[in-house]
Amino acid sequence: MPGMKVQIPDALKADIPQTIWGKILAATPVVMTVVATMLAGLASSEMTRAQYARSLAAQLQSKAGDQWSFFQAKRLRSTLQRNTIDLLQATAEVRPLERQPDWPALEYLRRGEVPALPPGPALDPRIQAAIEAVARLEPDTTVAGLLRQIPDQLLDDALRAARERAQAFEALTGPLNKEIEALEEKAPVRRDFIAARLRYTAARYDAEARLNQAIANLYELQVRKSNLTATRHHTRSQRFFYGMLAAQAGVIIATFAMAARQRNLLWIIAAAAGLVAVAFAVYVYLYV
């Protein structure tokens, strides 16, 4: 509306600092409050990421444990197969199987071997070095230094290749195992066939155990990397929290300065509340 003006009361003008230092003092509580809020959000975000990384590490450790269980079970079965062969040879005469052109699977039984897998991709030297360090029980700091050099994607690709190789071996031996089971009824000398089958089965379990071991080793590296990530986020969360406390202290100090300058009881009460809040936050951080 024409002729209408906004007038600032003279009393309010007198309370507004006119110097640069006064203006900075007046703006400090607001700015530091914004900074403290931002740092508190960052601290909470980093802690959430740390918890997620710990949870992921637990899931990966469970998968690694499954692979180690498969490895141990198959090595044990392989040993049992070989022990049975020794007992069989000690109690009866066991002769090599004769070649049968109509039975291609019989050749694997005669040799006591499993089909050869195509060679998988070579492990990156950094991954191999980390696996060897874990196997040698190197200090955690040494292993951590090696893991920091390995990109996550590189480790994921190596794990995927190892799992695909295990699946390829299973697909290769599955039909062969069924064919061997069908041949057992046709074998002219059952004892000789059983001995050959035991040797083949022991070799198959050994091969599968090595594949499970390779997968488990890669899972173990992922577990350690995830724990390193969790530790990093936890440390960042702590430091953001310290920064938030410093910002809150800045708000309190600035508020006290303004209260002392303006003799305003409300500012003193607000500053006291801020001190109580900071003290409570420190108590929760240290003791809860």
Side-chain angles (χ1 to χ4, degrees), residues 84-162:
T84 304
I85 294 173
D86 292 340
L87 290 174
L88 186 60
Q89 291 176 338
T91 56
E93 181 183 1
V94 178
R95 294 172 297 181
L97 294 177
E98 296 180 359
R99 284 189 172 89
Q100 298 288 341
D102 297 335
W103 299 348
L106 197 63
E107 190 63 26
Y108 291 105
L109 292 179
R110 292 185 66 257
R111 298 197 305 264
E113 299 175 355
V114 294
L117 270 176
L123 279 179
D124 187 276
R126 292 169 291 182
I127 296 178
Q128 187 63 42
I131 291 175
E132 292 174 357
V134 173
R136 292 194 304 267
L137 301 179
E138 295 283 351
D140 289 342
T141 53
T142 302
V143 177
L146 294 172
L147 289 175
R148 290 190 182 96
Q149 302 174 14
I150 304 175
D152 291 340
Q153 188 60 48
L154 182 64
L155 193 54
D156 291 342
D157 292 342
L159 178 58
R160 182 171 58 255

Side-chain angles (χ1 to χ4, degrees), residues 238 241-242 245 278-288:
Q238 284 183 324
F241 178 77
Y242 294 149
L245 290 182
V278 171
F280 179 76
V282 173
Y283 168 78
V284 171
Y285 179 77
L286 294 177
Y287 301 107
V288 175

Side-chain angles (χ1 to χ4, degrees), residues 100-273:
Q100 298 288 341
D102 297 335
W103 299 348
L106 197 63
E107 190 63 26
Y108 291 105
L109 292 179
R110 292 185 66 257
R111 298 197 305 264
E113 299 175 355
V114 294
L117 270 176
L123 279 179
D124 187 276
R126 292 169 291 182
I127 296 178
Q128 187 63 42
I131 291 175
E132 292 174 357
V134 173
R136 292 194 304 267
L137 301 179
E138 295 283 351
D140 289 342
T141 53
T142 302
V143 177
L146 294 172
L147 289 175
R148 290 190 182 96
Q149 302 174 14
I150 304 175
D152 291 340
Q153 188 60 48
L154 182 64
L155 193 54
D156 291 342
D157 292 342
L159 178 58
R160 182 171 58 255
R163 295 178 64 178
E164 289 175 352
R165 196 159 185 257
Q167 292 170 356
F169 183 78
E170 183 178 354
L172 189 62
T173 57
L176 183 61
N177 296 336
K178 293 180 180 179
E179 186 177 350
I180 291 173
E181 291 176 2
L183 288 177
E184 187 170 358
E185 299 297 331
K186 304 176 184 178
V189 182
R190 188 173 177 82
R191 181 183 61 249
D192 297 342
F193 186 90
I194 290 175
R197 189 195 64 191
L198 289 172
R199 280 192 293 268
Y200 165 82
T201 305
R204 177 169 63 86
Y205 280 138
D206 284 339
E208 291 178 352
R210 287 192 295 270
L211 292 172
N212 291 128
Q213 183 183 24
I215 296 173
N217 284 331
L218 294 172
Y219 271 130
E220 291 289 352
L221 295 187
Q222 284 193 330
V223 170
R224 290 173 177 265
K225 276 187 70 69
S226 187
N227 281 327
L228 286 175
T229 301
T231 300
R232 175 176 175 270
H233 285 305
H234 187 266
T235 301
R236 286 166 58 87
S237 176
Q238 284 183 324
R239 293 178 180 176
F240 281 135
F241 178 77
Y242 294 149
M244 184 269 293
L245 290 182
Q248 290 283 11
V251 173
I252 294 170
I253 293 172
T255 303
F256 268 128
M258 295 181 70
R261 181 178 181 277
Q262 298 181 6
R263 309 297 182 187
N264 192 326
L265 180 61
L266 293 178
W267 282 108
I268 295 177
I269 295 174

Side-chain angles (χ1 to χ4, degrees), residues 38-109:
M38 179 186 67
L39 291 175
L42 289 173
S44 176
S45 174
E46 291 293 331
M47 185 58 69
T48 301
R49 293 183 180 183
Q51 292 172 346
Y52 169 78
R54 293 292 185 196
S55 176
L56 179 61
Q59 294 177 14
L60 293 172
Q61 187 63 69
S62 177
K63 294 180 179 180
D66 290 341
Q67 294 299 320
W68 285 123
S69 296
F70 292 146
F71 167 77
Q72 293 172 351
K74 290 173 182 178
R75 289 300 296 269
L76 179 60
R77 288 185 177 184
S78 173
T79 302
L80 291 175
Q81 302 289 321
R82 298 185 190 281
N83 289 342
T84 304
I85 294 173
D86 292 340
L87 290 174
L88 186 60
Q89 291 176 338
T91 56
E93 181 183 1
V94 178
R95 294 172 297 181
L97 294 177
E98 296 180 359
R99 284 189 172 89
Q100 298 288 341
D102 297 335
W103 299 348
L106 197 63
E107 190 63 26
Y108 291 105
L109 292 179

